[in-house]
């Protein structure tokens, strides 16, 4: 981690691909240098894996700073929160000996709640969509954000006011039941939605706070804020491969909106990319490898979803997509993850540009008609056949692995401040 990293006030760590880049590992590592770790968008669709002293923890909603005693963790207003899943996640951490008391964690009372009916609708829609399905995680993310912006939603703060909660829930039933009926699903009652919420109410209410006010005060006092992105640039609802995206804005600027701060709270933006590419769910993936090479990356990289267990689609690193991610996020540097997984390939490929209808593209075009027709142009680089997991300094890497890293920095025009060579917190090469 750079010296700069240890002093800065507002660092955003974002996925620069289609999610699962290794954000959780990196946030856990950088949390050491922060005072507060903030999740600002997404919900339990995320699965962030931390491996500390050989012990694996998968977090879905609780910020990846939670394993550092004394660091404040905040779930911002931009996250959709499933209260039942959150309590289950808390219980798992407590069972593992982690302090998840309100002294460690706070939740914005303005965060939209994911309700039981949102999960039902998410699954009903996907079930009915056939080949057009998005391949969502089924966690109710889309329907919960829809209700938030249609102004029908329930917010976490409503849990503290039983009468308001009931009113909000009753106000939802008419439209929700019309939709469920259209999908051939049984109607829901207020009790179907309220009972699970009431069962966890007393567990959640002590954590509720005006998170934005707290963060502003901490920032003013000089505390260092670390913003933890979920999903990745190409899954952004505005800028991703729409409609095969998630329902929140995953880019760095949303770190401010989703935590209740102004844009000055954002200093540096660190983009996380694997040394190759993966995607889970449907949608365009220009460098996808539907062959033995893709299968090998999936096996060696253990590319199976941390939330749903689904096999991830695998392919070569896609620089036009990465350059696009750099632009829409304002990336100031990169972390290159999972380089160890590419051990043993004689030749490594990197897509440096695409061609489409007689034109060349160095950045991913935003025209949907292009996405399925883009032809990747590959550069071939010599591979390496050494186990990288013990490497800690650039000199520990074989020359060809170092050259691979240097070429990516040159091709993207971004400094690479960390190369990850294993899942463990300490398995990193830093300059
Ligand atoms: P996130 O959603 O961005 O936090 O990433 P996930 O946790 O969903 O997926 C990343 C997976 O790669 C996890 O299983 C990590 O433990 C693992 N991982 C992270 N960095 C490395 C690395 O450098 N090498 C290897 N082999 N695994 C890594
Ligand atoms: P992390 O934070 C990878 C994908 C789903 C689907 C699409 C929409 O672990 O990187 P949704 O349930 O959000 O409505 O699904 O987005 N997706 C992810 N893919 N990593 C994630 O999170 C994801 N969260 C959602 O597979 O294609
Ligand atoms: Mg993940």
């Amino acid at each position: 981690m750079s010296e700069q990293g240890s002093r800065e006030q507002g660092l955003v760590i974002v996925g620069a691909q289609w999610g699962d880049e290794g954000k959780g590992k990196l946030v856990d590592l950088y949390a050491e240098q922060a005072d507060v770790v903030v999740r600002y968008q997404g919900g339990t669709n995320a699965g962030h894996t931390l491996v500390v002293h050989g012990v694996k923890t998968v977090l879905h909603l609780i910020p990846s700073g939670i394993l550092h005693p004394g660091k404040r963790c905040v779930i911002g207003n931009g996250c959709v929160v499933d209260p039942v899943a959150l309590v289950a996640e808390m219980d798992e951490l407590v069972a593992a000996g982690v302090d998840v008391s309100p002294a460690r964690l706070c939740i914005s009372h303005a965060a939209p709640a994911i309700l039981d009916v949102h999960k039902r609708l998410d699954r009903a829609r996907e079930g009915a969509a056939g080949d057009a399905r998005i391949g969502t995680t089924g966690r109710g993310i889309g329907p919960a954000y829809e209700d938030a912006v249609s102004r029908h939603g329930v917010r976490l703060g409503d849990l503290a006011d039983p009468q308001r909660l009931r009113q909000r829930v009753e106000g939802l039933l008419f439209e929700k039941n019309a939709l469920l009926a259209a999908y051939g699903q049984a109607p829901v009652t207020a009790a179907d939605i309220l009972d699970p919420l009431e069962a966890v109410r007393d567990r959640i209410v002590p954590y509720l706070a005006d998170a934005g006010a707290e963060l502003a005060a901490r920032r003013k006092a000089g505390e260092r804020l670390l913003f933890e992105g979920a999903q990745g640039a190409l899954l952004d609802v505005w800028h991703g491969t729409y409609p095969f995206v998630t329902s929140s804005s995953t880019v760095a600027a949303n770190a401010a909106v989703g935590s209740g701060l102004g844009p000055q709270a954002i200093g540096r933006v660190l983009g996380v990319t694997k040394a190759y590419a993966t995607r889970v769910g449907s949608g365009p993936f220009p460098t996808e490898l539907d062959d033995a090479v893709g299968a090998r990356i999936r096996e060696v990289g253990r590319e199976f979803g941390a939330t749903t267990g689904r096999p991830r689609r695998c392919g070569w690193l896609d620089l036009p997509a990465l350059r696009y991610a750099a632009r829409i996020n304002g990336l100031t540097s990169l972390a290159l993850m999972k380089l160890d997984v590419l051990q043993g390939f004689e030749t490594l490929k990197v897509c440096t540009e695409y061609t489409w209808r007689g034109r060349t593209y160095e950045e991913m075009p935003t025209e949907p008609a292009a996405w399925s027709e883009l032809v990747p142009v590959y550069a071939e680089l010599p591979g390496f056949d050494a186990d990288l997991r013990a490497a800690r300094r650039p000199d520990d890497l074989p020359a060809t692995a170092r050259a691979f890293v240097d070429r990516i920095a040159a091709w993207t025009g971004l400094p690479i401040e960390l190369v990850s060579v294993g899942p463990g917190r300490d398995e990193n090469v830093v300059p």
Side-chain angles (χ1 to χ4, degrees), residues 239-240 324 327 361 363-371:
H239 305 292
Y324 176 67
R327 172 161 66 81
Y361 293 82
E363 216 182 71
M364 186 177 239
T366 51
E367 167 53 50
W371 293 332

Side-chain angles (χ1 to χ4, degrees), residues 3-226:
E3 263 303 294
Q4 191 189 2
S6 62
R7 286 196 306 270
E8 66 213 331
Q9 242 208 335
L11 170 65
V12 189
I13 294 184
V14 282
Q17 300 176 300
W18 281 278
D20 303 327
E21 296 90 350
K23 300 174 293 293
K25 166 180 164 162
L26 215 55
V27 170
D28 167 66
L29 177 66
Y30 279 62
E32 186 58 42
Q33 314 296 330
D35 299 298
V36 190
V37 182
V38 190
R39 273 284 303 272
Y40 56 89
Q41 46 74 228
T44 39
N45 48 350
H48 294 180
T49 313
L50 286 51
V51 179
V52 180
H53 309 309
V55 179
K56 176 168 146 176
T57 306
V58 181
L59 298 170
H60 301 286
L61 193 58
I62 293 176
S64 296
I66 198 72
L67 299 188
H68 292 267
K71 307 287 179 185
R72 184 72 166 157
C73 290
V74 174
I75 299 175
N77 57 275
C79 294
V80 280
V81 177
D82 179 338
V84 177
L86 178 59
V87 164
E89 190 171 331
M90 286 174 175
D91 287 345
E92 263 183 51
L93 285 169
V94 169
V98 180
D99 175 9
V100 202
S101 67
R104 292 289 320 280
L105 176 71
C106 96
I107 310 166
S108 168
H109 55 210
I114 298 182
L115 308 173
D116 177 72
V117 69
H118 294 140
K119 290 179 268 192
R120 291 192 200 202
L121 259 179
D122 191 358
R123 290 170 197 159
R125 279 183 182 154
E126 286 283 281
D131 286 347
R133 71 182 173 277
I134 294 166
T136 72
T137 58
R139 299 299 191 267
I141 305 298
Y145 275 118
E146 287 166 32
D147 275 353
V149 294
S150 77
R151 296 156 292 180
H152 285 109
V154 170
R155 291 173 153 203
L156 269 264
D158 296 333
L159 289 182
D161 183 337
Q163 207 184 338
R164 188 171 75 211
L165 178 66
R166 174 168 285 278
Q167 273 172 2
R168 299 294 301 165
V169 167
E170 283 171 352
L172 275 171
L173 294 178
F174 174 72
E175 286 193 6
K176 288 291 168 291
N177 280 331
L179 265 176
L180 285 169
Y183 284 109
Q185 304 287 314
V188 289
T189 62
D192 290 335
I193 299 176
L194 285 168
D195 290 353
L197 297 179
E198 274 156 9
V200 295
R201 169 186 286 137
D202 294 346
R203 298 284 310 278
I204 297 282
V205 169
Y207 293 88
L208 298 177
D210 183 341
E214 176 180 328
L215 289 170
R218 288 180 179 271
R219 190 169 172 278
K220 199 167 171 196
E223 292 195 16
R224 297 156 303 175
L225 273 42
L226 170 53

Side-chain angles (χ1 to χ4, degrees), residues 18 133-134 241 243-244 279-286 288 313 371:
W18 281 278
R133 71 182 173 277
I134 294 166
T241 51
F244 301 100
R279 173 164 204 164
V280 58
S282 324
F285 183 3
E288 181 167 15
R313 301 154 66 191
W371 293 332

